[in-house]
């Protein structure tokens, strides 16, 4: 089922809030900038594709504009899709130009938009980043448009950048990475289809992102792109991931009631207690060309997880919208997916497929005359995970006599009527696509030509052979009459007829009242 395209515009205007006392000695910033705190903070659009979402207005205020009104974006850009998630790294930069160190953060009230640095929130004093002299932090966006409708204006009209001096002992060393504190992550790639991940110095409730950099699941056709661990409650984690187009040797093939078709498999092993991580988001992608060649609709691609007992449960992957792909700078020749799970195990990338079955069938009426029609009603149910259609066939003694095509959405049921005429008398075993529909009686199979029954034919045969006086009778004793009644029985019958006749005569003589 197709859905209409909806957009929601996001326009945020930066307004300086709160000047702080810094020492003199500001550095010179190349190019125009929105300056704050006596020019000690300089805010500019970032270099790179995501920097197009920010610009300086006529008052030299930084504007973050993810909508059709942004002059830097293509004419066909309409905004963020409603009911979607999107994010962009490096939209604008904040540079500290003075001689000390400063803590910098953003204040913003609307929960639909989150400002980030290196993937972590930078909103609120507790989430500040510490900048040294002439250090720069790149600020990105996470946009949550779930539940929004077309035309919605996301976010408040203003946000504020805040800063304060950092105590010398709180300042990071010169070797510290830009963006302040956060987990230290490492990724190693023993082969194209394997990755090993490790993270340390994790703060409570942190989100840890591991870039898998296109790890093969089904060669380059399907790849693992990133794993996000959310709500981590331990200070270090380790994971290993492996991909395969076929089931792993120590696991089973995908098997679920909706009969999905497996595309690739992913195994994730970990060293932490599952209760120490709230959830894991799996981001994977597939070649558009490979999906087209296989006739796979991206909307039917999903993810299944295998339990320790061997049961498979769907985790419901979603397609990343085109606008989000553009914002994130992801390859547009691939379809990008994300799925979230609270358990870790073996996963299967799969295609939802239709499964239309005839569950019951019955003929009505069960008996007709030659040349008349009989109707069989059959119930068809779609127990698969995708909508589809099927042609069901009515057969009589195994020979097709009628068919109907039915289209059903997942979990939908319909009744179809198949009608056929039968010219020849007989009994027919009916079925609809192999499901028994009962037996149909056409005419009188025993006397199909209508020339009389067996008793009449026997009587006629007896008359042709003659009675007791015929040339064929020679034995002693009474000879049975052709009708099978002997003379003694015939005499009793005549006496009964006489009594009945006398009774009738008696009735007729009775006077009428």
């Amino acid at each position: 089922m197709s859905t209409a395209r909806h957009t929601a515009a996001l326009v945020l205007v930066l307004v300086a809030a709160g000047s702080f006392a810094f020492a003199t000695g500001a550095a010179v910033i190349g190019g125009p900038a929105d300056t704050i705190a006596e020019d000690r903070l300089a805010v500019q659009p970032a270099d790179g594709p995501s920097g197009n979402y920010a610009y300086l207005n006529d008052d030299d205020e930084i504007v973050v504009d993810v909508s059709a009104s942004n002059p830097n974006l293509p004419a066909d850009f309409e905004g963020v899709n409603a009911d979607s998630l999107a994010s962009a790294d490096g939209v604008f930069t904040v540079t500290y130009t003075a001689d000390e160190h400063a803590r910098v953060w953003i204040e913003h009230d609307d929960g639909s938009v989150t400002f980030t640095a290196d993937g972590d929130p930078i909103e609120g004093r507790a989430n500040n980043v510490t900048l040294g002299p002439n250090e720069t932090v790149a600020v990105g966006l996470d946009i949550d448009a779930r539940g929004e409708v077309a035309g919605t204006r996301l976010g408040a009209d203003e946000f504020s950048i805040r800063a304060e001096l950092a105590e010398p002992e709180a300042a990071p060393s010169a070797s510290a990475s830009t963006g302040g504190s956060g987990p230290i992550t490492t990724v190693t790639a023993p082969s194209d289809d394997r990755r090993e991940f490790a993270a340390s110095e994790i703060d409570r409730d942190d989100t840890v992102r591991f870039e898998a950099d296109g790890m093969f699941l089904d060669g380059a056709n399907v790849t693992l792109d990133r794993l996000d661990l959310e709500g981590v409650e331990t200070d270090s984690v380790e994971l290993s991931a492996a991909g395969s187009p076929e089931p792993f040797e120590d696991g089973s093939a995908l098997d679920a009631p909706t009969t999905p078709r497996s595309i690739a498999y992913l195994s994730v092993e970990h060293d932490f207690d599952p209760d120490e991580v709230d959830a894991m988001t799996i981001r994977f992608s597939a070649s558009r060309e490979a999906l087209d060649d296989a006739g796979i609709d991206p909307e039917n691609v999903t993810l299944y997880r295998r339990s320790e007992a061997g049961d498979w449960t769907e985790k419901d992957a979603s397609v990343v919208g085109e606008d989000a792909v553009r914002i994130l700078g992801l390859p547009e020749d691939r379809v990008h997916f994300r799925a979230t799970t609270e358990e870790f195990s073996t996963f299967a990338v799969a295609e939802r497929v239709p499964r239309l079955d005839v569950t019951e069938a019955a003929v009505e009426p069960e008996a007709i005359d030659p040349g008349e029609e009989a109707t069989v009603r059959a119930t068809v149910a779609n127990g698969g995970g995708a909508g589809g259609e099927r042609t069901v066939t009515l057969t009589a003694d195994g020979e097709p006599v009628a068919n109907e095509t039915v289209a059903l959405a997942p979990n939908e049921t319909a009744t179809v009527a198949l009608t056929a005429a039968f010219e020849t008398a007989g009994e027919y075993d009916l079925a609809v696509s192999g499901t028994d529909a009962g037996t149909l009686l056409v005419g009188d199979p025993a006397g199909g030509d209508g020339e009389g029954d067996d008793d009449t034919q026997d009587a006629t045969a007896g008359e042709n052979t003659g009675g007791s006086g015929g040339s064929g009778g020679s034995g002693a004793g009474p000879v049975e009459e052709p009708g099978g009644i002997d003379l003694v029985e015939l005499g009793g019958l005549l006496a009964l007829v006489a009594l009945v006749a006398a009774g009738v005569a008696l009735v007729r003589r009775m006077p009428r009242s």
Side-chain angles (χ1 to χ4, degrees):
M1 179 183 296
S2 62
T3 56
R5 179 183 177 86
H6 299 294
T7 60
L10 165 65
V11 181
L12 300 175
V13 180
L14 172 65
V15 177
S19 296
F20 297 88
F22 293 98
T24 58
V28 177
I29 299 297
D34 183 0
T35 56
I36 302 171
E38 299 179 355
D39 297 341
R40 272 45 176 186
L41 291 180
V43 186
Q44 298 173 295
D47 293 332
S50 295
N52 290 327
Y53 298 107
Y55 58 86
L56 297 176
N57 63 14
D58 294 339
D59 297 324
D60 286 334
E61 294 174 325
I62 194 77
V63 177
V64 177
D65 188 347
V66 187
S67 75
S69 65
N70 188 329
N72 297 331
L73 300 179
D76 60 350
F77 182 78
E78 299 180 14
V80 178
N81 280 344
D83 201 27
S84 67
L85 296 171
S87 61
D89 296 328
V91 175
F92 62 89
T93 61
V94 179
T95 302
Y96 177 54
T97 65
D99 296 331
E100 300 91 356
H101 291 82
R103 299 185 185 93
V104 178
W105 69 91
I106 291 176
E107 292 187 354
H108 177 59
D109 295 331
D110 194 308
S112 62
V113 177
T114 302
F115 291 88
T116 62
D118 286 341
D120 295 322
I122 192 177
E123 294 187 0
R125 185 178 183 277
N127 296 314
N128 71 84
V129 296
T130 302
L131 299 180
N134 300 321
E135 276 196 299
T136 298
V137 61
V139 179
L141 295 175
D142 283 345
I143 302 172
D144 187 349
R146 290 175 296 184
E148 303 292 350
V149 296
T152 299
R153 186 183 181 89
L154 296 178
D157 288 341
E158 298 179 351
F159 63 92
S160 300
I161 294 179
R162 301 287 185 177
E164 67 180 11
L165 287 174
E167 297 297 329
E169 62 271 18
S173 64
S175 61
S177 61
T178 301
S181 61
I184 299 174
T185 61
T186 60
V187 180
T188 57
S191 62
D192 288 340
D193 58 1
R194 294 188 65 86
R195 294 290 185 273
E196 295 177 357
F197 308 104
S200 59
E201 298 185 19
I202 304 171
D203 293 332
R204 183 174 294 273
D205 291 331
D206 260 357
T207 294
V208 181
R209 291 183 174 178
F210 293 116
E211 297 291 344
D213 194 27
M215 186 190 87
F216 287 179
L217 299 181
D218 178 17
N221 290 335
V222 184
T223 60
L224 175 67
D225 300 327
R226 196 172 86 193
L227 294 178
D228 294 347
L229 301 183
E230 302 165 11
V232 180
E233 300 290 341
T234 182
D235 59 0
S236 65
V237 294
E238 292 185 5
L239 300 91
S240 63
S244 172
E246 303 295 335
F248 295 102
E249 292 182 0
D250 58 349
S252 60
L254 175 62
D255 182 18
T258 54
T259 62
R261 187 182 69 84
S262 64
I263 299 174
Y265 291 84
L266 166 67
S267 173
V268 178
E269 297 181 355
H270 55 89
D271 72 337
F272 52 84
D273 190 318
D275 292 337
E276 294 177 331
V277 175
D278 287 346
M280 178 175 69
T281 297
I282 301 173
R283 297 178 182 269
F284 60 98
S285 64
S287 162
R288 289 187 183 276
E289 183 179 0
L291 293 179
D292 291 343
D293 290 345
I296 298 175
D297 183 345
E299 295 294 337
N300 288 333
V301 174
T302 188
L303 190 74
Y304 277 82
R305 174 190 172 269
R306 182 179 181 271
S307 69
E308 293 182 0
D311 299 323
W312 291 89
T313 304
E314 186 175 5
K315 308 308 294 184
D316 194 18
S318 59
V319 179
V320 178
E322 294 180 1
D323 291 337
V325 169
R326 194 178 303 171
I327 290 173
L328 294 170
L330 300 174
E332 296 188 16
D333 62 343
R334 301 183 68 80
V335 182
H336 301 268
F337 305 89
R338 66 190 302 275
T340 300
T341 176
E342 296 179 357
E343 304 88 11
F344 307 87
S345 180
T346 297
F347 301 88
V349 178
E351 177 193 10
R352 300 186 186 98
V353 295
R355 194 195 72 201
L356 277 66
D357 298 317
V358 178
T359 59
E360 58 182 348
V363 60
E364 182 182 351
E366 296 179 347
I368 60 173
D369 290 330
E372 292 183 344
E373 292 183 339
T375 298
V376 173
R377 286 179 167 79
T379 300
V380 185
N382 184 3
E389 65 178 33
R390 178 185 178 184
T391 298
V392 294
T393 301
L394 171 64
T395 59
D397 291 340
E399 297 295 326
V401 294
N403 59 69
E404 288 287 342
T405 299
V406 57
L408 297 175
N411 299 317
E412 189 177 11
T413 299
T415 299
V416 295
L418 300 99
T419 301
F422 294 82
E423 302 294 338
T424 305
E427 291 185 359
Y428 297 89
D429 291 328
L430 304 183
V432 178
S433 294
T435 299
D436 182 34
T439 300
L440 175 68
L441 178 65
V442 179
D444 185 355
D449 56 4
E451 293 182 357
D453 56 23
D454 294 339
D455 290 342
T456 303
Q457 294 173 7
D458 290 342
T460 304
E463 290 173 358
N464 291 337
T465 57
S468 58
S471 59
S474 59
V479 178
E480 291 187 356
E481 295 293 323
I485 302 176
D486 58 24
L487 295 178
V488 176
E489 291 174 343
L490 180 60
L493 179 60
L494 293 175
L496 177 59
V497 172
L499 289 175
V500 172
V504 172
L506 179 61
V507 171
R508 288 180 177 176
R509 291 191 182 98
M510 291 179 64
R512 297 182 180 179
S513 58

